[in-house]
Amino acid sequence: MAPAGRGCTSVEAVKVLIAGGAGYIGSTIASACLDAGITPVILDSLVTGRREFAAGREFYAGDIADGPLVDRIFAEHPDIETVIHCAALIVVPDSVADPVGYYRANVTKSLDFVTHLLRNGCTRLIFSSSAAIYRSGDDLSVAEDSPVDPQSPYARTKAVCETMFADIAAARPIRVLSLRYFNPIGADPKMRTGLQLPRPTHALGKMIQAQQEGVPFLITGTDYPTTDGSGIRDYIHVWDLATAHVAALAKFGTLSGPATAINLGTGHGTTVRELLEAFNRVAPRPIQARDAGRRPGDTVGAYTRIDRARRLLGWQPQYDITEGIRHALQWAAIRGEVLSEDA
Ligand SMILES: NC(=O)c1ccc[n+]([C@@H]2O[C@H](COP(=O)([O-])OP(=O)(O)OC[C@H]3O[C@@H](n4cnc5c(N)ncnc54)[C@H](O)[C@@H]3O)[C@@H](O)[C@H]2O)c1
């Protein structure tokens, strides 16, 4: 692999700074980078991330808003060419309860962070955005030019950051790629990392919990305009999400314009009932399910069209939901050993 200094036109990166690299997605991206011969440098405050996920990796414990720390990282790693910014708080109900805290954590700190990156001559930023910024259309599929209409303070922090970074990229020597993730599931297939939470609140997490506790799984919302009335999501294996970042590092130099947005999903919608069927095919024992009312704030959901990811990144997902479920179950079985004590 050719060395790639900052500002260099090489399409390959050898070192990347991953903010939030001790979290679920960031740590998986770090593993995918390592497997591809790219050295990840991790910056994480461990507010929700886990030290175990940074073990054996270049790791700086601290906040993205900490200017002297960011300066030190760039002084010690002058060959960092691209920064992947996954650091955020991500719990939708918490963002409803504490919008000030969420705007501060996700927007104010991101503004501080990009200021530090500019000062250190960083010219490439990959931002973890979310499908939650979209308003879903009648056919439930969305593309990058679909209307943006975030429905929670959390989702709005993502939309605000995208716009803020695009404004900055238009005026300053930095380019930004916003990757809009759909619904990540699964774990690193080599089981180095996975979801750090013991009780994830997404549908698959609830299914695993129902199985562990021997209680029925609740299908929350059965009157949505989908084929079977349950909500629809685009479940993307977290490893596929991670390899999309490796593809993005390789292709960054070919992207045109100061700011680009790309959806990362599978291109297929899966309803909660379909996910349940798949779960019961994969799990050692099937779980029972019960219909229930919608939860406040829930939406029908959406899936993505993935033409742009294919075209611009040359990437497409390799895993289907069955493998995502299998890896999530494998991870749930070993999580307690990898994460010795729960924070
Ligand atoms: N998990 C999802 O379903 C999903 C979907 C779409 C987008 N995203 C985005 O992907 C990114 C990663 O999400 P995740 O699921 O891995 O969450 P996570 O909580 O596992 O990871 C976030 C990481 O960022 C760190 N962090 C938070 N604030 C920080 C700060 N100020 N300074 C330094 N580190 C900080 C946390 O300690 C944690 O390790 C987030 O930006 C999130 O908005 C997640």
Side-chain angles (χ1 to χ4, degrees), residues 20 22-26 43-49 62-64 86-88 90 109 128-130 154 158 181-182 184 196:
Y24 170 51
I25 297 170
L43 166 61
D44 200 298
S45 66
L46 302 179
V47 60
T48 57
D63 202 288
I64 56 169
C86 308
I90 69 160
K109 288 188 179 196
S128 298
S129 188
S130 171
Y154 161 72
K158 292 277 135 182
Y181 308 162
F182 279 65
Q196 64 273 44

Side-chain angles (χ1 to χ4, degrees), residues 79 92 95 202 229 232 261 265:
D79 48 346
V92 170
S95 78
H202 60 46
I232 197 163

Side-chain angles (χ1 to χ4, degrees), residues 223-247:
D223 58 349
Y224 288 116
T226 59
T227 48
D228 60 24
S230 64
I232 197 163
R233 299 287 183 274
D234 187 336
Y235 296 104
I236 175 157
H237 197 295
V238 70
W239 187 255
D240 281 327
L241 210 53
T243 61
H245 291 72
V246 175

Side-chain angles (χ1 to χ4, degrees), residues 21 63 100 118 124 127 146 153 170-171 179 254 266 304 313 328:
D63 202 288
V100 173
L118 285 166
R124 295 178 172 187
F127 173 59
S146 294
L179 296 177
T254 67
T266 64
T304 180
L313 303 182

Side-chain angles (χ1 to χ4, degrees), residues 49-318:
R50 296 296 302 239
R51 191 174 287 278
E52 295 91 329
F53 288 172
R57 299 175 179 182
E58 287 279 356
F59 174 49
Y60 292 81
D63 202 288
I64 56 169
D66 181 343
L69 177 60
V70 176
D71 292 347
R72 180 155 76 86
I73 294 171
F74 276 90
E76 291 175 3
H77 302 278
D79 48 346
I80 288 172
E81 183 186 63
T82 306
V83 172
I84 300 177
H85 175 20
C86 308
L89 300 181
I90 69 160
V91 182
V92 170
D94 290 357
S95 78
V96 175
D98 180 21
V100 173
Y102 263 68
Y103 277 97
R104 182 170 294 127
N106 291 0
V107 178
T108 310
K109 288 188 179 196
S110 288
L111 180 58
D112 289 345
F113 188 43
V114 75
T115 310
H116 306 326
L117 298 183
L118 285 166
R119 185 174 63 252
N120 282 283
C122 171
T123 58
R124 295 178 172 187
L125 177 64
I126 297 176
F127 173 59
S128 298
S129 188
S130 171
I133 68 171
Y134 288 117
R135 178 186 337 147
S136 29
D138 290 342
D139 68 353
L140 302 175
S141 74
V142 291
E144 289 81 357
D145 55 1
S146 294
V148 166
D149 184 18
Q151 297 294 314
S152 69
Y154 161 72
R156 278 188 280 276
T157 66
K158 292 277 135 182
V160 169
C161 278
E162 272 203 28
T163 313
M164 178 176 84
F165 290 142
D167 284 342
I168 293 168
R172 301 294 304 275
I174 192 166
R175 290 192 298 141
V176 61
L177 169 61
S178 293
L179 296 177
R180 297 172 178 166
Y181 308 162
F182 279 65
N183 302 88
I185 58 167
D188 172 16
K190 293 186 186 164
M191 294 294 129
R192 285 165 287 193
T193 60
L195 262 177
Q196 64 273 44
L197 296 173
R199 285 189 181 69
T201 54
H202 60 46
L204 178 56
K206 292 276 185 199
M207 287 176 198
I208 294 173
Q209 192 184 343
Q211 187 189 56
Q212 288 168 340
E213 296 176 1
V215 297
F217 168 75
L218 296 183
I219 302 175
T220 47
T222 55
D223 58 349
Y224 288 116
T226 59
T227 48
D228 60 24
S230 64
I232 197 163
R233 299 287 183 274
D234 187 336
Y235 296 104
I236 175 157
H237 197 295
V238 70
W239 187 255
D240 281 327
L241 210 53
T243 61
H245 291 72
V246 175
L249 291 171
K251 295 283 187 179
F252 203 112
T254 67
L255 302 174
S256 59
T260 306
I262 299 178
N263 288 349
L264 294 181
T266 64
H268 299 289
T270 302
T271 66
V272 176
R273 290 192 202 281
E274 288 166 346
L275 185 71
L276 181 65
E277 274 172 33
F279 183 86
N280 281 338
R281 280 198 303 275
V282 175
R285 356 171 250 292
I287 53 168
Q288 303 299 312
R290 207 152 36 79
D291 288 0
R294 295 182 185 192
R295 293 174 308 181
D298 274 356
T299 60
V300 56
Y303 60 96
T304 180
R305 289 168 244 153
I306 57 171
D307 321 35
R308 191 181 287 184
R310 273 208 196 103
R311 188 164 44 82
L312 296 185
L313 303 182
W315 165 92
Q316 60 182 22
Q318 303 297 320

